[in-house]
């Protein structure tokens, strides 16, 4: 089986596709609307049948997705040998929700890429949107557009748009605000959370699934009460479970129906991990994530 | 649950600054509390009986005692509730003495804090479960790492007690630093004459297995059942055949090999036996200097060895040993005085370390026991000793006292005056530390009978003038600068942790302090134990020590091992991690972070992977619990629910 992207219920909405034979290959597409990180399907049971002996599973990955694979391989949740990785250097994917909100389009017939514009044809006319203006936040700060691990590279590698020193500019901008402002910001953002757990479900590294501590009564870390402290606690548990592991693929933020910038919390933890432990997640399959080791001589702490 | 609360007054220790009656009255309001009282000395016999009486009378299911630190009396009270029929883990202690009454005199605030601590203990107790320990058999063999005098003493005492001993020594011979000494203070016994018989004993004990030239490679397992890998380093001489005749040493043409036993005052042959009394008395090849290894020719030793013991193809060998306890006796190293630029930074041949001077004094040393200057071999007339070189000096990272230097310089000065009655000895010192039996008398003899001149003050500089050394320092008693011209300067180099101490500590999972000395479990009350069950300490690896103290600790460690082995099985501590298999997602992050190798994976019949804790290996540190995302792994007696219950009370 190969996991890739295909056209969804309209040409603007791309959906994961699972190719089971040669006849399915025509369903595969690649364009800036291929927004999903597919690697979660490899570890989150149900959708992927167990591998037959000696068979591999194919998967299409962008730069960010490939880092998720590295993290999963590091944690022995995936074996490199069981994968055939199609790596795709990626110039960035779009924030489809923002495009829909701003354009108010419906009845979409076709979508094409013309140069650096997206052309959307609906019942009435063709609408042109500059790609650059609708890139997702995660893509604007992308440092690894090229897959870090692959068996086949589909296009030529491209130059990263963000320098490493600019990687955490969103976090820095947030920290430039006063403590009170930040508290107000997060209170109002997280208060919108409806605890739908989409962020958790989309995260390829959140592997507890139905054992998630947010939904169990044992141990009693969280209740199901809908109030701000519970929402805060949920989001910080989610972030801390990803500390030193999160590869900043931004899926949690993309899928949030309430448009809460939840990846920003994880970015802060990654910034700390970088500064304190000199580690960036998901780059070297042989490396050990620093928070998954015991080293009494840990430098930096 | 029916909970009883006992608030101890500890005489006035607690009641002086805490209203214990009020704490008890308030406790009656907490959920599940059916009885609360304040008592003058809860740990006393009547105090314990009161607890037991109330358990029966009030049908209590759990007990909280608010008193001192659980490190003091938790075992006392656990036994008390057990005698009344409760499980010993249905007991909680609130520390309202060290954490409350002793640290503040504000009675109102203290009382409030004591109430909160009691409330937290009650809240936790409501989630307590009876816990039971299991028994594991003990392997009654003991590993001793390091065969200096402490390790030798421990080995002999264990061996005399009928235990099988595995003795590992890094160097080719046992004996350690003591074997390098000439005489010992305060009795001026010949060091090798008193150590020698003990070394010979080791070689003759049938139940002592000696691995010399060997190091511990890895340690796994737990108290009663350790598995140890020992690396026997290649000596290129088959020690089963070698008779120690020394023919090869005499004929070896490579004469420039370092001689660490003589502290590099002499050179050795590339094939060498470190000293005449060595145990085992076997030759070993230094491959960096052997012409066979460096130039590919020679082979003289192989040709002349009467028993064909030379084996140039020898490889390191890994030996596995299984033991029930480990005694660490890895000793110390000497401070490297070359960091003191003002003392010449190790560049002047006539400025030497204390241990080098021992070798000069020793009859088996490089000068046959005649005191000579290393530079020109002439007899010195003026000899200066400088105390505290690498001791009590925070600027070189050694703020501690090495404990032995004051005594060894006094001894060396006495011996110098004995050997060379016309010589002048000067000692620059900061303070004289001589608190042992007959020690101060000994130092006084050096000053009064042997005419050694003691000058109180630091030396600022040593520099050459002609072929002599000028020692410039202060006499702080007279308040003047002094300058002494000397033929020989002996630095009383201090004691530091042995090289590689940290590495070994990590293999053994014991802790060490900032200077690399191993940490005892309690500085006063558990000086021989480490915090890893079944691992004990002996000698200077735990901190600077002289010979009597090292020997005493060697015997003490042996006694601890004998006490441990007096039982056939040990009870495991049930306060360990436990996996809830229904919630474990098999991510096995717990295995990655466990410092003790106490977690393994297992596959259930449905093919799912789960973590499994080896209860007897687990030390209950809780790292796995902190790492486990679904919190499927819980530390018994400190579960998330118990901690959350306490937090909820505190934050309510």
């Amino acid at each position: 089986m190969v996991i890739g992207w295909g056209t969804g219920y309209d040409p603007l909405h791309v959906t994961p596709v699972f190719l089971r034979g040669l006849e399915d290959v025509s369903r595969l597409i690649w364009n800036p609307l291929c927004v999903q990180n597919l690697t979660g399907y490899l570890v989150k049971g149900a959708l992927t049948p167990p591998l037959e002996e000696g068979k591999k599973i194919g998967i299409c990955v962008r730069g960010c997705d490939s880092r998720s694979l590295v993290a999963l391989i590091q944690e022995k949740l995936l074996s490199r040998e069981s994968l055939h990785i199609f790596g795709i250097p990626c110039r960035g994917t779009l924030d489809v929700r923002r495009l829909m909100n701003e354009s108010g389009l419906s009845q979409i017939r076709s979508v094409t890429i013309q140069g650096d514009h997206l052309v959307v044809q609906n019942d009435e006319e063709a609408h042109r949107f500059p790609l650059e203006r609708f890139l997702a936040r995660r893509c604007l700060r992308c440092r690894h557009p090229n897959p870090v691990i692959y068996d086949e590279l589909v296009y030529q590698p491209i130059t990263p748009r963000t320098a490493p020193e600019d990687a955490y500019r969103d976090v820095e901008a947030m920290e430039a605000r006063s403590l009170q402002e930040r508290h107000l910001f997060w209170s109002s953002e997280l208060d919108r959370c409806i605890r739908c757990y989409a962020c958790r479900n989309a995260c390829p590294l959140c592997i507890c699934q139905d054992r998630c501590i947010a939904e169990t009564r044992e141990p009693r870390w969280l209740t199901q009460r809908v109030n701000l402290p519970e929402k805060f606690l949920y989001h910080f548990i989610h972030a801390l479970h990803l500390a030193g592991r999160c590869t900043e693929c931004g899926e949690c933020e993309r899928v949030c129906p309430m448009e809460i910038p939840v990846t920003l919390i994880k970015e802060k933890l990654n910034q700390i991990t970088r500064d304190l432990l000199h580690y960036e997640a998901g780059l070297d399959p042989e490396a050990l994530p620093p928070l998954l080791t015991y080293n009494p001589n840990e430098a930096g702490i | 649950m029916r909970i009883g609360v006992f608030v101890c007054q500890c005489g006035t220790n607690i009641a002086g600054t805490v209203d214990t009656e009020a704490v008890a009255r308030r406790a009656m309001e907490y959920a599940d509390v059916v009885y609360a009282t304040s008592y003058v000395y809860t740990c006393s016999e009547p105090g314990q009986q009161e607890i037991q009486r109330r358990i029966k009378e009030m049908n209590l299911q759990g007990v909280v005692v608010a008193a001192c630190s659980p490190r003091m009396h938790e075992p006392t009270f656990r036994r008390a509730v057990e005698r009344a029929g409760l499980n010993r883990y249905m007991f909680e202690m609130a520390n309202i003495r060290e954490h409350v009454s002793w640290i503040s005199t504000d009675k109102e605030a203290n009382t409030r804090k004591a109430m909160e601590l009691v409330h937290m203990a009650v809240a936790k107790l409501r989630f307590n479960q009876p816990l039971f320990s299991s028994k594991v058999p003990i392997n009654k063999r003991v590993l001793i790492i390091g065969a200096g005098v402490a390790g030798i003493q421990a080995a002999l005492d264990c061996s005399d007690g009928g235990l099988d001993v595995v003795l590992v020594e890094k160097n080719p011979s046992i004996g350690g630093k003591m074997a390098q000494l000439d005489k010992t203070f305060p009795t001026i016994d010949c060091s090798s004459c008193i150590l020698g018989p003990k070394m010979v004993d080791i070689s003759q004990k049938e139940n002592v297995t000696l691995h010399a030239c060997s190091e511990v490679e890895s340690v796994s397992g737990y108290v009663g059942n350790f598995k140890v890998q020992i690396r026997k380093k290649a000596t290129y001489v088959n020690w089963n055949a070698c008779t120690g005749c020394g023919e090869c040493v005499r004929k070896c043409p490579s004469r420039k090999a370092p001689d660490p036993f003589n502290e590099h005052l002499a050179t050795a042959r590339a094939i060498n036996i470190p000293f005449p009394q060595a145990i085992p008395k076997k030759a070993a090849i230094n491959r960096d200097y052997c012409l066979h290894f460096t130039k590919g020719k020679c082979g003289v030793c192989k040709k002349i060895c009467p028993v064909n013991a030379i084996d140039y193809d020898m490889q390191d060998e890994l030996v596995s040993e299984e033991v029930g306890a480990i005694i660490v006796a890895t000793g110390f190293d000497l401070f490297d005085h070359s960091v003191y630029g003002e003392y010449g930074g190790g560049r002047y041949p006539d400025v030497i370390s204390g241990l080098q001077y021992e070798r000069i004094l020793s009859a088996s040393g490089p000068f046959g026991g005649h005191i000579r200057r290393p530079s020109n071999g002439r007899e010195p007339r003026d000899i200066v000793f400088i105390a505290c070189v690498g001791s009590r000096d925070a600027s070189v990272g050694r703020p501690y006292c090495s404990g032995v230097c004051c005594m060894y310089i006094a001894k060396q000065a006495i011996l110098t005056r004995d050997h060379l009655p016309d010589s002048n000895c000067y000692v620059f010192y900061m303070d004289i530390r001589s608190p042992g039996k007959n020690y101060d008398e000994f130092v006084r003899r050096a000053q009064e009978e042997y005419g050694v001149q003691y000058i109180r003050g630091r030396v600022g500089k040593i520099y050459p003038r002609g072929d002599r050394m000028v020692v410039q320092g202060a006499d702080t008693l007279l308040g003047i600068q002094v300058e002494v011209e000397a033929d020989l300067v002996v630095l009383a180099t201090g004691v530091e942790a042995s090289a590689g101490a940290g590495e070994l500590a990590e293999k053994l999972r014991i802790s060490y302090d900032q200077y690399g000395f191993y940490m005892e479990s309690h500085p006063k009350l558990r000086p021989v134990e480490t915090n890893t069950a079944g691992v004990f300490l002996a000698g200077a690896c735990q901190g600077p020590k002289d010979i009597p103290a090292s020997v005493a600790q060697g015997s003490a460690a042996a006694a601890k091992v004998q006490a441990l082995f007096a039982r056939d099985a040990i009870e495991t501590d049930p306060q360990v991690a436990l996996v809830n298999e229904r919630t474990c997602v098999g991510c096995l992050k717990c295995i990655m972070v466990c410092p003790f190798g106490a977690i393994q994976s297992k596959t259930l019949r449905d093919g799912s992977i789960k973590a499994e804790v080896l209860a007897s290996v687990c030390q209950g540190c809780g790292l796995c619990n902190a790492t486990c995302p679904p919190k499927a792994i819980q530390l018994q007696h400190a579960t998330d629910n118990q901690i959350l219950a306490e937090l909820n009370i505190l934050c309510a």
Side-chain angles (χ1 to χ4, degrees):
Chain A
M1 182 163 69
V2 174
I3 311 176
W5 299 276
T7 303
Y9 63 86
D10 74 24
L12 203 53
H13 290 85
V14 167
T15 186
V17 292
F18 299 81
L19 316 178
R20 288 186 166 76
L22 269 179
E23 64 280 9
D24 293 334
V25 173
S26 59
R27 293 168 60 201
L28 262 185
I29 62 163
W30 166 247
N31 62 34
L33 297 165
C34 297
V35 291
Q36 295 93 349
N37 180 345
L38 305 170
T39 58
Y41 294 117
L42 296 173
V43 279
K44 297 199 174 186
L47 283 167
T48 359
L51 274 185
E52 285 171 47
E53 194 70 35
K55 280 208 166 178
K56 293 191 176 196
I57 193 160
I59 183 154
C60 299
V61 294
R62 303 160 295 180
C64 48
D65 310 334
S66 74
R67 295 178 61 199
S68 306
L69 285 185
V70 169
L72 292 168
I73 291 167
Q74 283 175 335
E75 295 178 20
K76 300 190 182 69
L77 297 167
L78 272 185
S79 89
R80 176 70 182 87
E81 292 72 46
S82 68
L83 300 173
H84 193 83
I85 306 169
F86 299 95
I88 305 173
C90 166
R91 294 184 186 280
T93 54
L94 300 184
D95 185 341
V96 179
R97 184 164 47 203
R98 187 147 52 87
L99 186 71
M100 296 291 285
N101 286 348
E102 290 192 17
S103 65
L105 289 176
S106 61
Q107 305 296 318
I108 293 158
R109 296 283 171 228
S110 77
V111 168
T112 49
I113 308 289
Q114 292 175 3
D116 45 14
H117 280 75
L118 180 79
V119 180
V120 182
Q121 177 78 46
N122 70 353
D123 281 351
E124 293 136 23
E125 56 182 313
H127 303 265
R128 287 170 65 82
F129 302 100
L131 289 173
E132 194 66 22
R133 203 164 81 72
F134 288 97
L135 281 188
R137 187 175 76 83
R138 62 179 180 188
C139 302
L140 289 170
R141 53 183 294 275
C142 177
R143 280 157 297 142
H144 299 280
N146 302 308
V148 296
I149 180 176
Y150 54 84
D151 293 298
E152 268 151 85
L153 198 62
V154 180
Y155 299 107
Q156 288 302 309
I158 52 185
T159 320
R161 68 164 58 229
T162 307
E165 56 272 22
D166 294 332
Y168 293 104
R169 58 195 173 198
D170 293 346
V171 172
E172 285 153 15
M174 175 63 65
E175 286 182 333
R177 302 197 201 179
S178 73
L179 198 59
Q180 207 181 1
E181 273 182 290
R182 273 182 274 165
H183 185 256
L184 212 67
F185 174 83
W186 285 113
S187 300
S188 75
E189 288 292 322
L190 292 179
D191 199 29
R192 294 206 307 279
C193 172
I194 52 171
R195 303 255 313 255
C196 69
Y197 305 125
C199 49
R200 179 198 74 190
N201 295 346
C203 174
L205 294 173
C206 260
I207 36 88
C208 297
Q209 301 184 77
D210 55 351
R211 307 280 192 266
C212 176
I213 195 156
E215 290 177 285
T216 59
R217 304 290 181 280
E218 185 61 43
R220 304 171 195 188
W221 278 94
L222 287 165
T223 69
Q224 301 309 302
R225 258 175 266 153
V226 184
N227 58 28
L228 190 56
E230 296 283 327
K231 293 172 185 176
F232 252 99
L233 193 54
Y234 162 68
H235 282 285
F236 285 93
I237 289 175
H238 184 193
L240 282 166
H241 282 185
L242 288 160
R245 303 169 65 219
C246 174
T247 59
E248 300 170 30
C249 71
E251 284 292 273
C252 47
E253 190 165 311
R254 179 182 69 79
V255 299
C256 177
M258 306 311 288
E259 302 181 40
I260 304 169
V262 285
T263 312
L264 203 51
I265 307 171
K266 288 127 201 164
E267 284 166 33
K268 174 62 195 167
L269 289 176
N270 273 2
Q271 188 196 34
I272 297 171
T273 311
R274 181 194 68 178
D275 295 345
L276 213 55
L277 303 166
H278 314 293
Y279 179 77
E280 197 177 351
L283 293 181
D284 174 8
E286 303 298 319
L288 269 178
L291 294 181
L292 297 183
T293 55
Y294 173 75
N295 176 7
N297 296 327
E298 192 79 71
I301 295 177
Chain B
M1 191 182 283
R2 294 173 63 81
I3 293 173
V5 176
F6 299 82
V7 184
C8 184
Q9 297 162 8
C10 198
T12 55
N13 267 310
I14 294 171
T17 58
V18 174
D19 185 347
T20 50
E21 300 288 342
V23 174
R25 273 197 307 278
R26 173 63 65 84
M28 284 300 286
E29 299 167 16
Y30 305 151
D32 289 353
V33 173
V34 294
Y35 178 77
T37 188
S38 159
Y39 196 85
V40 61
Y41 283 113
T42 315
C43 63
S44 67
E45 198 56 40
Q48 294 183 49
Q49 277 162 4
E50 170 71 6
I51 295 175
Q52 290 165 6
R53 191 167 66 88
R54 293 295 175 182
I55 289 173
K56 291 186 180 126
E57 233 169 54
M58 307 290 299
N59 209 5
L60 300 179
Q61 293 165 296
V63 169
V64 170
V65 171
C68 50
S69 161
R71 303 236 354 175
M72 296 291 299
H73 276 307
E74 191 170 60
T76 314
F77 293 121
R78 279 187 176 162
R79 279 195 298 270
V81 301
E82 202 163 46
R83 281 198 296 273
L86 293 188
N87 182 280
R88 61 164 73 182
Y89 294 98
M90 299 308 287
F91 166 78
E92 283 300 326
M93 206 156 172
N95 181 354
I96 60 167
R97 194 177 74 176
E98 285 84 345
H99 284 181
V100 182
S101 70
W102 279 359
I103 55 169
S104 162
T105 51
D106 181 343
K107 195 162 185 173
E108 199 194 319
N110 279 359
T111 305
R112 210 162 49 231
K113 183 174 173 187
M115 285 171 177
E116 287 187 344
L117 290 175
V118 171
H119 198 175
M120 284 166 70
V122 169
K124 182 188 173 208
L125 179 59
R126 297 176 70 214
F127 287 89
N128 280 23
Q129 295 284 333
L131 300 175
F132 302 91
S133 44
S134 53
K135 291 199 164 189
V136 288
I138 296 179
N139 179 347
K140 296 187 181 180
R141 302 180 80 218
V142 56
L143 169 75
I144 298 172
I145 307 172
V149 69
I152 289 174
Q153 185 63 41
L156 291 178
D157 286 357
C158 288
S159 158
D160 286 344
L163 302 180
D164 276 350
V165 177
V166 180
L167 183 57
V168 174
E169 169 57 46
K170 177 166 73 173
N171 291 317
S173 170
I174 65 171
K177 294 281 189 296
M178 187 176 171
Q180 291 176 269
L181 305 183
D182 176 40
K183 303 282 193 306
T184 57
F185 59 77
T187 46
I188 315 281
D189 297 299
C190 160
S191 185
S192 54
C193 309
I194 56 174
L195 180 65
K198 286 186 185 290
M199 291 168 59
V200 173
D201 264 6
I202 290 286
S203 65
Q204 289 176 347
K205 292 274 185 189
E206 282 185 1
N207 55 359
V208 176
T209 311
L210 173 61
H211 297 289
C213 245
S214 301
E215 287 188 61
V216 170
E217 181 89 356
S218 66
V219 179
S220 62
Y222 49 92
V223 54
N225 296 279
F226 290 106
K227 286 193 180 62
V228 185
Q229 289 263 317
I230 297 164
R231 177 177 292 275
K232 294 188 76 129
K233 288 175 281 187
T235 56
Y236 309 103
V237 178
N238 176 0
W239 281 9
N240 292 327
C242 176
T243 59
C245 70
E247 200 55 33
C248 52
V249 181
R250 280 186 286 279
K251 296 281 160 56
C252 175
S254 171
R255 294 154 182 265
K256 294 276 185 229
D259 185 356
F261 185 78
N262 279 321
E263 292 293 314
H264 304 285
L265 288 170
T267 54
R269 309 291 174 100
I271 187 165
N272 192 33
I273 297 172
F275 56 104
Q277 302 92 336
I279 300 281
K281 198 176 179 202
K282 309 283 181 189
I285 291 178
N286 181 339
R287 67 174 286 160
D288 296 338
Y289 290 85
C290 172
L291 297 177
H292 171 81
F293 286 106
T294 54
K295 301 239 161 67
K297 49 190 183 196
C298 184
V300 169
C301 50
K302 194 177 175 78
K303 272 179 232 130
I304 59 149
C305 178
V307 290
N308 276 326
I310 309 295
D311 174 6
Y312 293 131
D313 301 323
M314 190 183 266
Q315 300 286 324
D316 286 6
E317 186 191 349
L318 282 179
V319 184
S320 294
E321 295 278 6
E322 295 188 359
V323 296
I326 298 174
I327 296 174
V328 191
T330 48
F332 66 98
D333 270 329
L334 220 54
F335 179 79
D336 174 11
H337 63 80
S338 68
V339 305
Y340 282 102
E342 63 269 37
Y343 298 166
R347 281 176 290 115
Y348 305 133
D350 293 329
V351 179
I352 60 174
S353 75
L355 202 51
Q356 284 178 319
Y357 198 52
E358 288 290 337
R359 294 313 301 150
I360 289 178
L361 290 167
S362 168
S364 70
F367 308 139
H370 299 294
I371 302 176
R372 296 185 197 286
R373 303 176 70 196
S375 61
N376 55 14
R378 283 217 288 275
E379 223 168 59
R381 193 166 49 90
D382 300 303
I383 298 152
V384 170
F385 296 87
I386 301 175
C388 295
V389 177
S391 302
R392 304 177 65 196
D393 187 351
S395 70
V396 295
R398 296 286 178 271
Y400 55 84
C401 171
S402 293
V404 292
C405 324
C406 288
M407 294 305 297
Y408 84 64
I409 348 184
K411 173 196 73 181
Q412 290 177 343
I414 287 176
L415 292 172
T416 309
R417 295 276 295 151
D418 254 347
H419 282 265
L420 309 170
D422 295 334
S423 65
N424 303 308
C425 290
Y426 305 88
V427 173
F428 282 91
Y429 70 100
M430 288 165 69
D431 299 290
I432 293 172
R433 304 266 166 106
S434 53
K437 192 172 172 182
N438 291 327
Y439 282 14
D440 207 54
E441 298 91 312
F442 183 74
V443 176
R444 287 231 165 255
R445 261 168 61 206
Q447 295 171 338
E448 290 161 9
E449 289 176 32
Y450 286 86
V452 179
Q453 297 197 38
Y454 272 68
I455 304 163
R456 188 180 188 281
R458 260 244 183 261
V459 168
K461 197 176 178 189
I462 302 173
Y463 60 92
R465 180 183 292 162
D467 76 334
R468 304 183 83 198
M469 307 302 298
V470 180
V471 180
Q472 270 187 353
D475 185 329
T476 54
L477 294 180
L478 295 178
I480 54 165
Q481 291 295 313
V482 285
E483 193 179 284
V484 182
E485 257 193 38
D487 300 297
L488 186 64
V489 180
V490 179
L491 305 177
T493 33
V495 169
E496 64 181 21
S498 61
E503 223 172 288
L504 181 66
E506 277 148 35
K507 288 176 187 164
L508 292 164
R509 298 168 190 128
I510 59 177
S511 16
Y512 49 94
D513 66 17
Q514 54 188 314
Y515 310 112
F517 292 113
Y518 297 141
M519 298 269 277
E520 61 281 3
S521 188
H522 186 285
K524 279 148 263 177
L525 303 177
R526 288 164 64 86
V528 180
E529 294 92 331
T530 63
N531 280 332
T532 299
V535 180
F536 304 96
L537 302 176
C541 63
Q542 180 255 345
K545 268 181 203 66
D546 58 11
I547 293 167
S550 296
V551 171
Q553 208 183 4
S555 287
K560 285 285 169 190
V561 171
Q562 307 258 20
L564 175 69
F565 288 180
R567 286 167 292 171
D568 293 320
I570 36 171
E571 280 196 357
T572 58
D573 186 345
Q575 299 177 82
V576 294
L578 183 70
V579 178
N580 178 352
E581 284 184 5
R582 279 176 308 175
T583 44
C584 174
V585 294
C587 69
L588 305 182
K589 293 180 174 50
C590 45
I591 296 180
M592 294 163 134
V593 297
C594 178
F596 304 101
I599 308 174
Q600 59 187 26
S601 77
K602 68 170 180 183
T603 311
L604 299 187
R605 261 183 295 179
D606 67 356
S608 61
I609 291 171
K610 304 287 176 190
E612 182 180 35
V613 176
L614 302 168
S616 45
V617 187
C618 176
Q619 301 288 312
C621 72
L623 272 183
C624 52
N625 167 251
T627 306
C628 178
K631 302 292 173 212
I633 195 160
Q634 290 285 322
L635 200 54
Q636 300 306 291
H637 214 57
T639 61
D640 286 7
N641 281 347
Q642 289 174 318
I643 293 165
L644 287 166
E646 291 178 301
L647 282 178
N648 282 337
I649 293 303
L650 198 59
C651 303

